[in-house]
Amino acid sequence: MRVLITGGAGFIGSHLSEALLDGGHNVLILDNLSTGSIENITHLKGRDGFEYFIDTVENEPLLAELIDRSDVVFHFAAAVGVKLIVEQPVYTIETNVHGTEVVLKHANKKKKLVVIASTSEVYGKSNDVPFREDSDLVMGPTPKHRWAYACSKAIDEFLALAYWKERKLPVIIVRFFNTVGPRQTGQYGMVIPNFVRQALAGEAITVFGDGKQSRAFTHVTDVVGALLKLMAEPKAIGQVINIGTTQEINIADLAKKVRELTGSQSVIKFIPYDEAYESGFEDMPRRLPDLTKITQLIGYRPKHDLDDILTHVIEYFRKK
């Protein structure tokens, strides 16, 4: 098949591109490099069946042409990362909502399958853990810019499902839970790359808040494997699907583990949220997926544990 990946020069998109090429598919990438990087796809240049375009999804003539040439669209182009979201709320909302709108509009013309990247952030402040795809979403108040990202991705989901219900456009929505691995940057607030970089540099490892907030980190290879199977699974169409792992750790313990695995002497420094982001910043205390649906659909089971993830990320940063 020929697959278009918007945001394909990003962290997950670049890994998906590699796996698709390895599987004999042709890959088209559209990325404006706002949060992606040309370095992520340098090793793919020159491979048979690979093309990339440095542009935005808002270039509708180009987008329409690329969708027309493709069998499947993975829509990953988005504003991501807590730091970016807090600092640029207008860009976040406009990029996420309008970008998805134009992708769905053009894909609908010839009913091309669209896989929409969503996020565990949409569950908001819900305490109903583990999060099921049919759980209620509990957003924070609108003056808290932190929730703009979650809300914008929830709108993406509503719009995609509306296209499926009303216009029979095949869509699959995947909610990623803290995907991590080589090539991920800490520039926009991703915690593991930041911890690893700080530990290797002998800098203080900075934990935001009290460190009691917990997360479940998923290796990007497991996520990509799931995406390839979902793309080929007819029962996934019209569904919202969690992709993650159930191995949970709090952020303070994560900092200690990174320090241990890197052999670092770094101190662990706790920084209040108000200082790290903005006054009144709110965070999710836990972020844990229910994986029943994806397990039933494709037999999904993550192969990598947290130690594997940290080892691979540490190796990546040591080679940089």
Side-chain angles (χ1 to χ4, degrees), residues 120-129 131 136-142 144 146-147 150 215 280-287:
S120 58
E121 287 272 337
V122 298
Y123 292 105
K125 298 193 289 184
S126 173
N127 292 316
D128 186 15
V129 180
F131 297 141
D136 287 342
L137 310 183
V138 185
M139 299 291 179
T142 54
K144 305 287 186 186
R146 182 256 193 280
W147 301 111
R215 300 291 184 264
F281 179 85
E282 297 178 329
D283 202 9
M284 305 169 74
R286 294 179 70 193
R287 195 183 294 174

Side-chain angles (χ1 to χ4, degrees), residues 20-22 24-27 44-51:
L20 285 164
L21 290 168
D22 290 345
H25 302 288
N26 293 340
V27 175
L44 302 179
K45 292 180 183 179
R47 287 192 60 169
D48 289 342
F50 179 73
E51 297 177 67

